[in-house]
Every structure is written in structure tokens, then in C-alpha cells.
Amino acid sequence: MKKLKVLTISIILVMALSLAGPSFDVSARPLAAASPTLGAAESYSILAGETVTNTGPTTMPGDLGVSPGSAVTGFPPGTISPGTIHAADANAALAQIGNTAAFTSLDQGCTTTYPGVKDLVGENLVPGVYCADAFELSGTLTLSGSGVWIFKSAATLITSGTANVVGGDPCNVWWRVASSATLGTNTSLIGNILALTSISLQTGASLNGRALAQTGAVTLDANTITVPVCAVAPTATPVTPTATPVTPTATPVTPTITPGGPTLTQTNTPTNTPADEHTDEHAREHADTSSFARNRFCSTAWYGSLRTTCRKGLC
């Protein structure tokens, strides 16, 4: 009885575990960081939502645009070559659409999350998505390897002191700033800054990349801005198959007669026919007549009464 009770409890436990199913603790790894496309904003060095203000001999090669605002001041002394100024026109509006889409695309899963405000000075970082409440850079940041670096700030980005970046590809370095970005005096940064509100480059600050603000202003002061030459992803061109008509060609066939083939030989087998019998009878009669002529016989009336007397009884 005791054994039966133990067996029953064991069966109940097995059934309970089977119904519960397997339980696994799986932590999904974030995918590798990916660069977004900028669309119409690709050709821009500076893009603002409200206004662009410049002081001093700022230089930039790409376009400068404002949308939906229209105010652009300080050019000259600032120079744009070979780019163009787009103030509240259709081109600037399209650029803002591309800017907004890229900002959204940069909201990728974090590979590394720093608590609070993170100063990146002294860091040596491989490609990935780095997240913090805010980012600062007060010295040298090293980017190692090849790939895409995304820095996601929940608030601000501020550079100061001797801030600079070593390594990395400016085409694949992205600063996603949920508020405003400020590049301090004589500091240097690479990559594309996409700020939701505003961007300020203080005196002498340099940027190898783009400064794209969605809603606020971009403020410049004797800055050097360069735009990296980035490879454009190839566009697949659909290939339409073309049907080529095929005209059948008739090939004449010349029969070949091979010597030495079978030869048809006709063999005539004599056949006795009534005509042949008649001929034999005639010959026999001729022989008999000759014999009749040679032999002696008598005839009393050969031509008259048709009575013939043959000595041998042949007539």
C-alpha cells in the first residue's frame, strides 16, 4: 500500500512538470549597430529647424538649410562652397524629413549602457550602440576597429577642454541627442550630430561630419566643418529578360547509298502452262510428221477421203 502511494505521487509530479513545460532564461543579444540613410539631408553640413546664426569666418562645403524656419545670418563672413543656402524651401523641407527619419532609425538597442552622465575621455571603444543619460567628452576618445558607432544621449552632448576623437569613420559615427549638443571652444569631434532641439559650435570648434537640428537653432562661431565622403549603397537595377526568337533551320538530309548492300536476284522458275503444253504437242506432232515422212506408209486417199493407213498405227 505504501509503495502504491509513492508511485501515485511520482506520477502526479511528472504530469505537473510536463504541463508546466520547459523554462529557459534567454537573453537576446542586440544586433550590430547600423548606419541610417539621411535621404535629402545627405548633402547638408548644417540644418536647423528655426534659424542658423554665424559669427566669424566659418567654412563648410555642404548645403546649409533651415526648415520650417527661414532665418539665416552671418553669411558672409561665413562661406559655403560649393554648397547652397536653402531657407524654408522644398529642398530644406525634404532634408528635415530625412533628418527625422534618421533620428528615429538611430534608436537602436544598446550594447553598452552607462549609468547617469558618461564622460568618454580615455575610452577605447569598438563598434556598437552606447547609451547614457548624457554624454561628455573632455579629452581623447579612441574608436577601434571598423563598423558603426552610435552614441545615444537621453539629454545632452557636451565637449570641453581638449576633446577629440581618434580613429573611426566619420560616415559611421552617430550622435543621437534627445535635447541639445554643444561643442566647446577649440574642441574637435567626428561624426553626425542629430539633435532633437539645437546645436551650438563655440569659437574655433571643428566638426568632421554634420550638425542637424530638428526644431531649434544652429549657432556657429568661426568654425571649420568638413563633410566626409561616404560610400552610397548600390541600388539594384531590375533586369527585364528579353525573349530572343529562335528561327528553326531545316538541315537537308542526303541519303547515302552504301555499296555492298544486299542485291535482289530474281530467279525465273519455268512453269508449265497450257501454252507450253501446246508447244510441246506441236513439236511432238512435227517429230511425228517427220517420222511419218521418213517411214513408209500407205495412204489410199491422203487428200480425198481423209482415210489414212499407217503402217505403224500412228495416224
Side-chain angles (χ1 to χ4, degrees), residues 11-30:
I11 294 173
I12 292 173
L13 288 174
V14 170
M15 292 179 64
L17 290 173
S18 299
L19 292 174
S23 177
F24 299 99
D25 182 14
V26 178
S27 299
R29 294 182 179 180

Side-chain angles (χ1 to χ4, degrees), residues 169-193:
D169 179 0
C171 295
N172 292 319
V173 177
W174 302 84
W175 304 88
R176 183 185 188 272
V177 183
S179 180
S180 299
T182 301
L183 302 189
T185 301
N186 296 323
T187 59
S188 175
L189 195 69
I190 70 168
N192 304 281
I193 305 172

Side-chain angles (χ1 to χ4, degrees), residues 4-233:
L4 180 61
K5 185 181 293 185
V6 172
L7 179 61
T8 303
I9 294 173
S10 300
I11 294 173
I12 292 173
L13 288 174
V14 170
M15 292 179 64
L17 290 173
S18 299
L19 292 174
S23 177
F24 299 99
D25 182 14
V26 178
S27 299
R29 294 182 179 180
L31 297 175
S35 288
T37 58
L38 286 169
E42 184 77 28
S43 64
Y44 281 73
S45 292
I46 300 295
L47 181 64
E50 185 178 79
T51 183
V52 175
T53 303
N54 174 64
T55 302
T58 296
T59 61
M60 68 186 72
D63 293 335
L64 181 151
V66 181
S67 179
S70 59
V72 178
T73 61
F75 295 91
T79 58
I80 303 170
S81 179
T84 304
I85 294 177
H86 297 278
D89 63 5
N91 195 296
L94 287 174
Q96 280 291 14
I97 292 173
N99 182 26
T100 302
F103 186 87
T104 302
S105 180
L106 286 171
D107 192 12
Q108 301 174 24
C110 304
T111 55
T112 301
T113 301
Y114 301 106
V117 178
K118 172 61 178 177
D119 189 345
L120 295 169
V121 63
E123 295 287 345
N124 189 337
L125 304 178
V126 296
V129 181
Y130 298 89
C131 304
D133 291 340
F135 279 113
E136 294 180 353
L137 181 60
S138 59
T140 300
L141 165 64
T142 302
L143 303 179
S144 299
S146 61
V148 177
W149 291 263
I150 298 174
F151 297 91
K152 290 171 54 180
S153 170
T156 60
L157 166 66
I158 299 174
T159 66
S160 60
T162 59
N164 70 97
V165 179
V166 175
D169 179 0
C171 295
N172 292 319
V173 177
W174 302 84
W175 304 88
R176 183 185 188 272
V177 183
S179 180
S180 299
T182 301
L183 302 189
T185 301
N186 296 323
T187 59
S188 175
L189 195 69
I190 70 168
N192 304 281
I193 305 172
L194 278 66
L196 185 60
T197 306
S198 62
I199 301 173
S200 175
L201 278 69
Q202 296 179 350
T203 306
S206 63
L207 173 65
N208 184 3
R210 301 173 179 84
L212 311 176
Q214 289 187 45
T215 62
V218 174
T219 304
L220 307 171
D221 185 359
N223 307 118
T224 300
I225 301 170
T226 56
V227 175
V229 178
C230 303
V232 179

Side-chain angles (χ1 to χ4, degrees), residues 261-302:
T263 303
L264 181 63
T265 303
Q266 181 177 357
T267 303
N268 294 326
T269 303
T271 304
N272 290 330
T273 61
D276 294 333
E277 293 176 357
H278 177 75
T279 302
D280 293 343
E281 183 180 355
H282 179 73
R284 193 166 50 248
E285 289 176 357
H286 179 72
D288 292 342
T289 304
S290 298
S291 177
F292 176 77
R294 288 192 303 268
N295 295 308
R296 290 181 300 159
F297 63 92
C298 63
S299 174
T300 57
W302 177 259

